[in-house]
Amino acid sequence: MPTQEEQLYTTNRPHPKVWIASTAAILLLLSLPSILPPDGQTHPGQFLGRFHVGLIHLPIGLLFLVPVFDLAAKKRPALQQAAAITLNIATITAFLSALLGIILAHAGAFSVDEVRTHLWTGIVLAIAAIAITQLRTFLPQRALLTIPLALLTLWTAHTGGKIVYGDDWLTEFLPHLAPSRSYPSVDPEGVYAKQVQPILNANCVKCHGSQERKGNLRLDSYGHLLDGGTSGDIVAAGHPERSILLHRITLPPNDPKLMPKKGEPLTPAEIETLRAWITAGASPSATPTTQP
């Protein structure tokens, strides 16, 4: 007579239609990045893509819960049914999250370089969840599949966190890992404090501040401005022609790398203020020149 666990294996085996649907879902995920490549432009689909941020937390939690059920089922076999149901829900929501993530990337929320790794780790995670949902019914040691799936979930979440908060988003505020930083003093009456930082606050800090740090770049203080981002130093003191900051804010209106991405471009007066400050040495303490 078959054991209770063997009976669960038999009753939970997927219908051929499920195999067909799973194969179609995998092919869709693999082909969409070519059909909807990230191009840095705003699209109507951006509205749908934003739901990726909310939905993605559901499969993350469920995919961590599945191996817990699988391991606990060694003593309580009935939990295999709970693991199967949880994995099915996680797989469906992971697939939908990946679809929305592709749309979000295509809609221009982030640059191509920032999203590429996360986009493909999300696709691989969704495909792995679909495959394991089908294959685990044939294998007695199911946790051997779902534990690596949970680790892949952790890696995918990590690559997503890096997009928003930078490469050191997990370690930045750990006391024993945080680097000691020494920044020049900022004169509260100087050009930087009175003219430059207000321009950055009004136009740049929304995407490059303490809450959101696209491109691993913060522009909410002089020290962080000097740190630069994933593109390297963005200010070359005395050399405006070599300063990435000036280059990005003076690109043509239709260029996907024009900054800021959100809101209106900087005014000619604001650009000239930044240019003059960089040309004069990008000092944190230089005082304004008195006009005759």
Side-chain angles (χ1 to χ4, degrees):
M1 177 177 293
T3 65
Q4 182 180 1
E5 190 170 5
E6 289 172 339
Q7 291 175 349
L8 285 172
Y9 288 169
T10 302
T11 57
N12 287 336
R13 287 189 176 178
H15 190 276
K17 291 183 178 180
V18 177
W19 284 99
I20 295 174
S22 298
T23 302
I26 291 173
L27 293 175
L28 178 62
L29 289 176
L30 290 174
S31 61
L32 269 183
S34 298
I35 299 172
L36 301 174
D39 61 7
Q41 299 296 324
T42 300
H43 300 276
Q46 190 164 348
F47 170 75
L48 289 176
R50 292 294 176 90
F51 287 94
H52 166 80
V53 180
L55 182 61
I56 192 59
H57 295 89
L58 181 57
I60 289 175
L62 294 178
L63 288 170
F64 279 115
L65 187 59
V66 173
V68 175
F69 283 147
D70 277 338
L71 293 171
K74 293 182 179 297
K75 293 186 177 181
R76 300 184 62 182
L79 286 176
Q80 285 290 359
Q81 190 70 26
I85 294 173
T86 303
L87 183 57
N88 286 339
I89 298 173
T91 298
I92 293 171
T93 53
F95 170 72
L96 294 175
S97 297
L99 287 182
L100 293 175
I102 294 171
I103 295 172
L104 179 62
H106 174 65
F110 297 94
S111 70
V112 177
D113 292 338
E114 290 174 327
V115 303
R116 184 178 291 110
T117 299
H118 181 57
L119 183 148
W120 280 106
T121 54
I123 290 174
V124 170
L125 174 62
I127 291 175
I130 292 171
I132 290 174
T133 299
Q134 311 306 322
L135 295 176
R136 71 190 301 274
T137 58
F138 299 98
L139 300 174
Q141 299 297 326
R142 300 179 178 186
L144 295 179
L145 290 174
T146 53
I147 290 176
L149 186 61
L151 295 176
L152 180 58
T153 303
L154 183 63
W155 174 245
T156 304
H158 176 65
T159 60
K162 287 172 64 176
I163 291 176
V164 178
Y165 299 110
D167 292 337
D168 59 347
W169 75 285
L170 282 179
T171 60
E172 180 184 9
F173 298 108
L174 288 177
H176 63 286
L177 292 178
S180 57
R181 296 170 176 172
S182 178
Y183 299 131
S185 299
V186 174
D187 184 350
E189 300 300 322
V191 174
Y192 177 82
K194 289 288 190 179
Q195 300 179 22
V196 174
Q197 189 61 59
I199 294 174
L200 301 178
N201 289 342
N203 298 280
C204 310
V205 170
K206 184 176 182 179
C207 295
H208 301 286
S210 60
Q211 299 301 314
E212 188 170 357
R213 188 169 52 175
K214 294 181 180 178
N216 198 24
L217 174 66
R218 286 180 62 172
L219 297 175
D220 52 344
S221 75
Y222 182 76
H224 288 119
L225 177 66
L226 294 186
D227 286 340
T230 54
S231 298
D233 294 338
I234 65 168
V235 170
H239 299 279
E241 74 284 356
R242 300 208 309 256
S243 296
I244 296 176
L245 175 64
L246 273 179
H247 174 68
R248 291 292 182 88
I249 63 176
T250 55
L251 288 169
N254 60 344
D255 194 302
K257 292 187 177 182
L258 173 66
M259 295 296 171
K261 281 187 174 294
K262 299 177 181 178
E264 296 296 323
L266 271 67
T267 65
E270 290 173 328
I271 293 173
E272 186 53 39
T273 296
L274 295 177
R275 187 189 306 277
W277 176 71
I278 294 174
T279 301
S283 169
S285 56
T287 55
T289 301
T290 303
Q291 298 295 328

